[in-house]
Amino acid sequence: MIPRRSQLHVWNPRDLTLAGEEIGRTAEDTRTRADDVQRAVADLGRHDDWRGPAQAAAEQRANNERAEIRRLADDLEDLSNALVGGADRLGHARDYVATVIDKAATDGFTVSDDWQIVSPPTTMSEAEAAEHAELMEYWRSQLGGALTELDNADRDMATTIRDALGAVAASAPASAGLSGHEGTALGEQVARGGSDIPQDVRDRVAREIAAAGLTPEQVKTLADGGKVTDLPQGTIDFLQQFYTAAGKDGFLALSEQYSENGRTEAASALSNGLAAVSNYNVGSASGDVGGQSHIPESLRGLFEGPVTSTGNLTKGAHDAPQPSLVVNNGDDLARFTKAFGLADPGVQQGSELSESLLSRAGEIASATNDKSLLIGDSFDHNALGRDGVDTLLQDMVGVGGRDHVAVHNILSGDGMPADYNRDDVIMPLLQRDWADGGERNVAGMFDWIADDARPSDPSDPGEVFRSTQAGESAFGLAQILAAKDAELLDIPGMNGQAIGEVNPEITQALGTTLAPYIGNMVGVPGEFTGTNAFTGQTGHEYLRLEDAPRIFSVIDSNAEGASYFNAQALGLSAQLEQAWAVDGQTPQDPHYQYGTWAGNLQGVVDKGLDLEFADRLGDETSQNAAGFESKGVAYDTIRTVISKGVEFIPVAGPLISSGIDLADPSFKSAVMGSIPDSTLQANADLADSALLANQYYQIGLGLQAANGGALDPYSGLDPFRDGTDGPLLPYDEIAEDNPYQRLPLLQSGLAGYLADSGMTGLGNFIDALNAGRDQVKDMRYAQ
């Protein structure tokens, strides 16, 4: 840069010289101190009282640190030389400009502030004028040359100082973080190392990557739904530029070399850093955040482009090659999944790489679910065969599925591209005929949802976040089951088999996952269920009542999963009946919707079984040895599950506040009493009477819990109590001995007691319950 003439006098290169000399002294002092520290540690090893692996490790560390600090000293010395040498050249250039100005003045010329040669007007002859013009051009040329040298000296010095400062920054990162320059340098060394990265480079990366890792507090912030925005910019720059420079091959090679040498912590830290770089909830105070755009292009390429290509597979030595399917980048995807799987799952939460793993897994599964396809390539040994693809998918789902945020986004569509369709990801995973490990990993994608469904502390924002995330995820999953029930009850290419037979573990997981939301499916509000966000992300999406039986039918395709799921539905129905008795209903607000919800649930249980059986009957090829043989067997199995001690999920809010024990045998017995029984169905009058008796019993049980564990004395109930004025006997105990006589008497006694207790609206409540059940049972579905 050329200053104006009036500014040139304030340029003082001597100041730069003094600064450079001071930095030089610092460089020498730094070098001396590094030698002193290394010497002190080495001297310790000469004493007999400290020898062995610890001493050797300490000395090795001291040697490494000495080398690093001496490198810093060398870079400081380079900066010192840049300042001193640049100042000397700049000073000479400035003096040369001043000399030209002075000499031009002796010939009568002056120099303006913008460096123009100026001559005062003078009367002269033509010859004198020509000589004067020639002299002016000479001094203009001399001044131009001097200014060019001044500009070059200034620019060269600035470049040298800038380079020296960059080297210092790489050697001595900011106290709050690392630097992008160092990240690039290290990444390039990793990339150059290939299959044999030098030991000192591996050590350096391990140390620096660990230093750049998230703290436990920052990991908790991610788990609570917060954003980590306090990473130093130098750390962000270091991570982004390191992975960019190392690229896919460098990252994979380094991870594998760490693992081969037993350095699992280093391999984990390496993947943790990549998880942070790819996480849009991790960034610096300046607003630079992670995400897909910061992942090296070579790594992004694993998840982009066509999923498969055409290969040729030779089955035997003398067979002609046949067209086959090749999973593109399959070998590198397998290597990457193994490496990324070493990351801490807590750090992984919210990584876009998790979403990419799950999305690509769905695409690969869709392309390879047809077992008649040949997979592999005889001419490409890196092309995975069918077994290799199965293992790859199992691992991709296992690693990506650990990320609850990613699973939520996959199921809810949150943050996904505009053309994203979750069915394209989830359905191929549900329909694939998995080996045990793969099925377990798909089930594991959802197993956290039920655990997070209800916040243990509603005042804790982190608990509420996880509950909301679980609710939105469960809602998306329920929508898939309701919309794709036919394709799950008759999986394409599986000879009419349903998901419950092909993938029993997944089906059971679906039931466990959605169990906390059974009430929400029929309209029970969140304040009763304790759940959040089972209404989609906008809050305006919803499940139709007719969707609930479809969901049940899918889970009913596996008897074990269905037994638990339906038991929970019937248990909730019982809770709602009891809740009506204790929730302070008034003529102005009679709470008859409790009856409607309870009846809807009973109808959904029955209708779901109907739909699952109808699917089998409507398809000549449909088979399902894993489902119930008949509705009678289904209800008997559900009854057995309840009697053996199934734990009911507490749902109805008023009951929780009243202190009812859902593990109490009386409650479980009451639930069993609402299950149709073949012995009772033989007599329609008795069946109706038994149903009414059970409905009254549920209400009486709720009043009993609210009344301290026993109803008030009433002679009509004496035959049905456990001791004088004791609690009601379990329903199945009452009904097992002469139900034709006992159940009508129970119904009559409870009706009298409830009337004498002043309870109003009982008939209307029972009507609402029956109407709710019939509302669902009368629904018509196209087969």
Side-chain angles (χ1 to χ4, degrees):
M1 180 189 73
I2 300 177
R4 301 184 74 82
R5 180 183 174 185
S6 58
Q7 296 173 327
L8 189 63
H9 72 281
V10 301
W11 279 27
N12 187 6
R14 178 61 181 164
D15 290 343
L16 295 176
T17 301
L18 293 175
E21 291 171 347
E22 180 62 28
I23 291 173
R25 287 190 289 273
T26 300
E28 185 58 32
D29 184 59
T30 298
R31 190 177 290 109
T32 300
R33 289 175 182 271
D35 293 340
D36 290 344
V37 170
Q38 187 274 338
R39 190 179 304 109
V41 175
D43 287 343
L44 290 174
R46 299 188 179 94
H47 298 289
D48 293 336
D49 55 347
W50 192 38
R51 291 189 179 279
Q55 185 276 330
E59 187 167 353
Q60 179 62 41
R61 176 65 182 270
N63 288 334
N64 291 340
E65 295 296 337
R66 174 176 177 269
E68 293 296 323
I69 296 173
R70 286 184 66 88
R71 191 185 75 174
L72 169 62
D74 291 343
D75 290 335
L76 286 171
E77 189 170 37
D78 288 344
L79 177 60
S80 170
N81 293 335
L83 287 167
V84 173
D88 183 62
R89 180 182 172 188
L90 191 65
H92 286 303
R94 188 198 63 168
D95 292 344
Y96 180 39
V97 172
T99 298
V100 170
I101 293 173
D102 291 342
K103 288 184 177 181
T106 61
D107 286 335
F109 298 101
T110 59
V111 179
S112 67
D113 201 42
D114 60 352
W115 301 107
Q116 300 299 312
I117 297 292
V118 180
S119 173
T122 304
T123 301
M124 60 186 71
S125 65
E126 184 176 341
E128 291 174 332
E131 183 180 353
H132 186 79
E134 185 177 344
L135 189 60
M136 177 180 285
E137 184 60 30
Y138 169 78
W139 286 116
R140 184 178 289 114
S141 173
Q142 290 295 306
L143 181 61
L147 291 175
T148 297
E149 172 57 23
L150 179 67
D151 186 44
N152 289 339
D154 179 54
R155 291 179 184 277
D156 291 347
M157 182 183 69
T159 299
T160 304
I161 292 174
R162 188 180 302 113
D163 291 344
L165 284 172
V168 170
S171 300
S175 60
L178 299 161
S179 75
H181 183 88
E182 183 182 23
T184 298
L186 273 178
E188 289 174 345
Q189 291 179 58
V190 168
R192 285 195 300 269
S195 61
D196 189 17
I197 299 169
Q199 176 75 39
D200 62 325
V201 175
R202 298 202 303 266
D203 291 344
R204 178 83 186 280
V205 173
R207 185 168 65 251
E208 303 293 22
I209 288 287
L214 300 183
T215 66
E217 292 76 15
Q218 290 169 332
V219 174
K220 184 179 185 303
T221 295
L222 292 178
D224 288 345
K227 295 181 181 295
V228 174
T229 58
D230 54 353
L231 267 96
Q233 186 61 49
T235 298
I236 294 286
D237 293 341
F238 169 81
L239 290 173
Q240 292 176 356
Q241 296 187 36
F242 168 77
Y243 291 108
T244 297
K248 176 197 69 179
D249 293 336
F251 169 78
L252 295 177
L254 183 57
S255 177
E256 289 165 352
Q257 289 173 47
Y258 280 145
S259 296
E260 289 166 1
N261 288 279
R263 302 186 65 177
T264 54
E265 290 187 4
S268 177
L270 181 69
S271 292
N272 285 344
L274 186 61
V277 164
S278 61
N279 194 324
Y280 44 78
N281 288 321
V282 176
S284 67
S286 63
D288 188 7
V289 298
Q292 192 85 357
S293 61
H294 291 310
I295 301 170
E297 184 176 353
S298 53
L299 275 178
R300 291 202 307 271
L302 293 177
F303 309 102
E304 298 172 347
V307 178
T308 61
S309 56
T310 301
N312 290 285
L313 194 62
T314 302
K315 286 186 174 182
H318 303 292
D319 293 332
Q322 301 178 50
S324 62
L325 199 67
V326 174
V327 174
N328 292 332
N329 302 311
D331 186 56
D332 280 348
L333 269 173
R335 295 172 64 202
F336 172 79
T337 304
K338 182 177 180 180
F340 196 61
L342 299 174
D344 179 347
V347 178
Q348 186 184 338
Q349 298 302 303
S351 167
E352 289 202 47
L353 281 168
S354 303
E355 295 175 6
S356 295
L357 280 169
L358 293 175
S359 295
R360 198 64 166 184
E363 293 176 315
I364 294 173
S366 178
T368 62
N369 276 356
D370 184 350
K371 287 193 171 183
S372 67
L373 293 172
L374 295 177
I375 299 178
D377 193 331
S378 301
F379 307 103
D380 182 355
H381 298 298
N382 289 325
L384 301 180
R386 179 166 289 280
D387 290 345
V389 171
D390 287 344
T391 301
L392 169 64
L393 285 173
Q394 170 183 313
D395 293 344
M396 291 176 75
V397 171
V399 174
R402 305 182 309 183
D403 187 339
H404 301 171
V405 177
V407 173
H408 162 267
N409 295 347
I410 291 289
L411 289 171
S412 69
D414 185 23
M416 303 302 285
D419 59 348
Y420 169 73
N421 185 340
R422 66 184 171 203
D423 293 350
D424 295 339
V425 176
I426 298 299
M427 284 298 291
L429 301 182
L430 298 182
Q431 293 174 315
R432 189 177 185 83
D433 185 7
W434 292 96
D436 290 344
E439 187 181 356
R440 190 175 306 116
N441 285 350
V442 174
M445 286 177 60
F446 314 124
D447 63 7
W448 57 274
I449 294 176
D451 293 337
D452 290 348
R454 294 179 176 83
S456 56
D457 180 4
S459 66
D460 183 339
E463 293 279 350
V464 173
F465 162 76
R466 283 184 285 276
S467 174
T468 299
Q469 181 173 259
E472 291 175 352
S473 301
F475 183 78
L477 189 58
Q479 285 183 308
I480 293 172
L481 301 191
K484 300 294 183 179
D485 57 326
E487 296 171 49
L488 292 170
L489 291 175
D490 189 356
I491 296 178
M494 295 301 296
N495 296 320
Q497 289 182 307
I499 184 174
E501 186 170 12
V502 176
N503 291 313
E505 191 171 349
I506 293 175
T507 311
Q508 293 158 23
L510 293 174
T512 303
T513 296
L514 294 177
Y517 303 96
I518 288 174
N520 302 112
M521 294 179 191
V522 298
V524 180
E527 56 265 29
F528 269 45
T529 64
T531 58
N532 288 289
F534 192 78
T535 52
Q537 283 195 293
T538 65
H540 300 300
E541 302 173 70
Y542 60 92
L543 286 175
R544 302 167 302 172
L545 182 59
E546 54 263 38
D547 290 330
R550 295 184 184 276
I551 296 168
F552 272 68
S553 72
V554 172
I555 298 168
D556 286 342
S557 65
N558 178 266
E560 184 174 341
S563 298
Y564 174 82
F565 197 61
N566 286 284
Q568 293 298 329
L570 293 169
L572 173 55
S573 176
Q575 291 180 59
L576 288 165
E577 291 182 59
Q578 295 178 34
W580 178 77
V582 302
D583 199 23
Q585 69 277 4
T586 65
Q588 292 77 28
D589 188 7
H591 293 179
Y592 294 146
Q593 70 271 25
Y594 291 16
T596 301
W597 296 330
N600 284 161
L601 286 168
Q602 293 176 18
V604 165
V605 169
D606 200 71
K607 195 68 175 181
L609 293 169
D610 284 344
L611 291 178
E612 200 275 325
F613 291 131
D615 175 79
R616 279 189 259 170
L617 293 173
D619 184 348
E620 293 180 0
T621 66
S622 184
Q623 305 172 26
N624 186 6
F628 295 117
E629 297 175 19
S630 65
K631 192 182 292 187
V633 172
Y635 280 127
D636 286 343
T637 305
I638 296 168
R639 182 182 287 108
T640 301
V641 168
I642 294 172
S643 67
K644 287 184 177 180
V646 64
E647 293 186 7
F648 287 105
I649 298 173
V651 174
L655 276 186
I656 296 174
S657 62
S658 71
I660 192 170
D661 182 5
L662 301 186
D664 185 271
S666 295
F667 176 80
K668 294 188 176 183
S669 174
V671 176
M672 290 169 61
S674 66
I675 300 175
D677 186 277
S678 56
T679 61
L680 299 179
Q681 295 296 340
N683 185 311
D685 292 337
L686 179 57
D688 292 341
S689 177
L691 181 60
L692 189 59
N694 178 264
Q695 292 167 345
Y696 282 11
Y697 183 86
Q698 299 286 4
I699 294 169
L701 205 61
L703 290 176
Q704 175 175 281
N707 199 43
L711 297 174
D712 293 334
Y714 186 76
S715 60
L717 295 179
D718 289 346
F720 310 109
R721 291 179 183 270
D722 185 5
T724 304
D725 296 334
L728 293 171
L729 291 167
Y731 184 85
D732 54 346
E733 186 174 329
I734 296 172
E736 69 180 355
D737 182 21
N738 194 6
Y740 293 91
Q741 180 182 18
R742 298 269 286 173
L743 291 180
L745 289 175
L746 173 66
Q747 181 242 313
S748 176
L750 285 170
Y753 177 86
L754 295 173
D756 286 359
S757 300
M759 180 169 285
T760 60
L762 180 59
N764 290 333
F765 175 77
I766 298 299
D767 289 343
L769 193 152
N770 291 333
R773 183 177 59 250
D774 292 341
Q775 178 186 11
V776 179
K777 292 181 68 174
D778 292 342
M779 289 177 178
R780 295 289 179 263
Y781 293 86
Q783 298 299 329

